[in-house]
Amino acid sequence: MKYFKRFLIILFIVFISLVAKYYDDYSFSTNDFSNVDGNLIVNFIDVGQGDSIFLEFPNGKNMLIDVGEKSKSELVQNFIDLKGYISLDYVVGTHPHTDHIGGLENIIENYKIGEIYLPKVIHTSKTYENLLSKINELGYKVNTAKSDMIIFDENGLVVKILSPIYSEYSELNNYSVVIKVVFGNTSFLFMGDAEAVVENEILREVNADVVKVGHHGSGTSSSDEFVNSVNAEYAVIMSGVDNQYDLPDENVVNRWKSSGAVVYNTSVNGNIVMISDGNDISVEVEHESDN
Ligand SMILES: [Zn+2]
């Protein structure tokens, strides 16, 4: 009888560990990349001096990060319409400068919107106030973007906010919503206009295959330490032809190049499209560059 009891206890332990193992495997397999099919398509839309990035996820959903100046909103809409989307699942305005959110009011008016993400920042420009009241008028609510927020995580695709971490920064650029997208074995980092202060705060999470370089390739961003930590295969600079700020900064371009990244620039390459199948990334550009 004593041995039988011991036998029962052992049997029970074996049973429990088998159940535990099953659940382990199960929870792993739901996030396992092998379940994923389809591609992640990242479109860097050439909006001149400004940012606009349209992401098409393998699950059919999409995300728009910034729209450039108001004068570019039609161009962005045409781009989205040509792809056949009538709604936007996730819309992110990285920060209140017009070269990022200028066209956002028109976008919000013209599409059915899922979720809107903006940083919590007090900014009283007419453009930003108009945007906020349009969002309000249409009955949408704003999700305040904060570090460590997971926008979603399913089937090998994770969209995470890395910054803002703090509630106050001295530069408006540093309120930029920084987003990391991981799809299978590939990863993309979108820096908005975040400067070196922010780069330094998020350093341990920035490693990525593709980076949308912060602040149009300005010397305020892309510090040596950051560039080396990202260790990107491709660096994308979004800037306008003959822009008044003379961006990108030549030193910044060289910094990315010497880190081993292939550098693309919307002012040279026009629209830049990157397609990830979860393992490899292919690149298509509107105009090939000479170098
Ligand atoms: Zn900007």
Side-chain angles (χ1 to χ4, degrees):
M1 193 60 191
K2 190 174 151 199
Y3 288 108
F4 184 63
K5 243 187 195 167
R6 191 170 290 171
F7 173 67
L8 277 184
I9 289 168
I10 289 170
L11 201 65
F12 182 69
I13 290 169
V14 168
F15 174 69
I16 290 294
S17 37
L18 278 177
V19 168
K21 188 178 180 322
Y22 171 77
Y23 275 101
D24 248 355
D25 286 351
Y26 179 75
S27 67
F28 177 70
S29 70
T30 53
N31 284 317
D32 185 357
F33 172 60
S34 59
N35 285 350
V36 169
D37 54 9
N39 291 328
L40 165 66
I41 305 173
V42 180
N43 305 279
F44 299 90
I45 306 172
D46 177 16
V47 290
Q49 183 60 28
D51 278 13
S52 186
I53 305 151
F54 185 60
L55 292 88
E56 300 166 85
F57 297 132
N59 63 4
K61 296 203 167 178
N62 62 55
M63 173 181 266
L64 181 66
I65 305 175
D66 289 335
V67 194
E69 298 283 354
K70 190 173 190 150
S71 60
K72 299 293 177 180
S73 67
E74 212 178 302
L75 183 154
V76 173
Q77 286 179 48
N78 288 340
F79 191 96
I80 294 168
D81 294 349
L82 271 174
K83 289 186 163 271
Y85 294 97
I86 51 166
S87 59
L88 299 173
D89 298 297
Y90 306 93
V91 173
V92 180
T94 58
H95 65 296
H97 283 147
T98 58
D99 58 325
H100 296 256
I101 58 91
L104 202 47
E105 191 188 340
N106 288 349
I107 291 286
I108 305 261
E109 257 189 317
N110 290 320
Y111 296 88
K112 185 175 170 288
I113 309 289
E115 296 174 14
I116 300 171
Y117 290 84
L118 296 173
K120 194 176 185 71
V121 55
I122 294 164
H123 188 64
T124 53
S125 75
K126 198 85 199 119
T127 310
Y128 198 57
E129 283 183 348
N130 288 347
L131 170 65
L132 294 180
S133 49
K134 180 60 71 184
I135 290 171
N136 209 22
E137 180 193 317
L138 295 174
Y140 295 123
K141 74 175 181 70
V142 172
N143 295 284
T144 299
K146 277 196 218 95
S147 64
D148 291 333
M149 223 176 198
I150 307 276
I151 297 182
F152 67 87
D153 175 359
E154 55 184 56
N155 299 335
L157 179 70
V158 182
V159 180
K160 186 183 174 187
I161 296 175
L162 303 189
S163 193
I165 295 175
Y166 300 107
S167 52
E168 269 181 58
Y169 293 90
S170 56
E171 282 293 328
L172 195 58
N173 285 336
N174 286 330
Y175 287 88
S176 285
V177 182
V178 174
I179 293 180
K180 188 167 187 181
V181 176
V182 178
F183 178 50
N185 298 316
T186 63
S187 51
F188 294 74
L189 180 67
F190 303 97
M191 292 300 295
D193 277 357
E195 301 183 355
V197 175
V198 170
E199 292 177 348
N200 206 34
E201 285 164 4
I202 58 174
L203 216 50
R204 67 189 168 82
E205 287 192 90
V206 296
N207 182 270
D209 299 310
V210 178
V211 59
K212 199 297 290 179
V213 172
H215 202 192
H216 320 285
S218 157
T220 57
S221 312
S222 299
S223 69
D224 277 322
E225 224 183 346
F226 175 74
V227 170
N228 292 331
S229 300
V230 177
N231 195 20
E233 196 177 336
Y234 303 112
V236 178
I237 296 170
M238 304 193 79
S239 68
V241 179
D242 296 329
N243 64 79
Q244 55 174 315
Y245 313 101
D246 211 14
L247 294 174
D249 184 313
E250 214 181 298
N251 293 325
V252 167
V253 175
N254 289 333
R255 221 172 283 156
W256 284 106
K257 280 185 178 166
S258 44
S259 80
V262 176
V263 178
Y264 292 100
N265 188 326
T266 50
S267 70
V268 177
N269 302 109
N271 293 334
I272 300 158
V273 181
M274 301 216 175
I275 303 167
S276 164
D277 64 4
N279 281 312
D280 297 304
I281 296 166
S282 62
V283 186
E284 290 166 16
V285 294
E286 201 176 359
H287 314 290
E288 292 289 345
S289 41
D290 300 332
N291 54 2

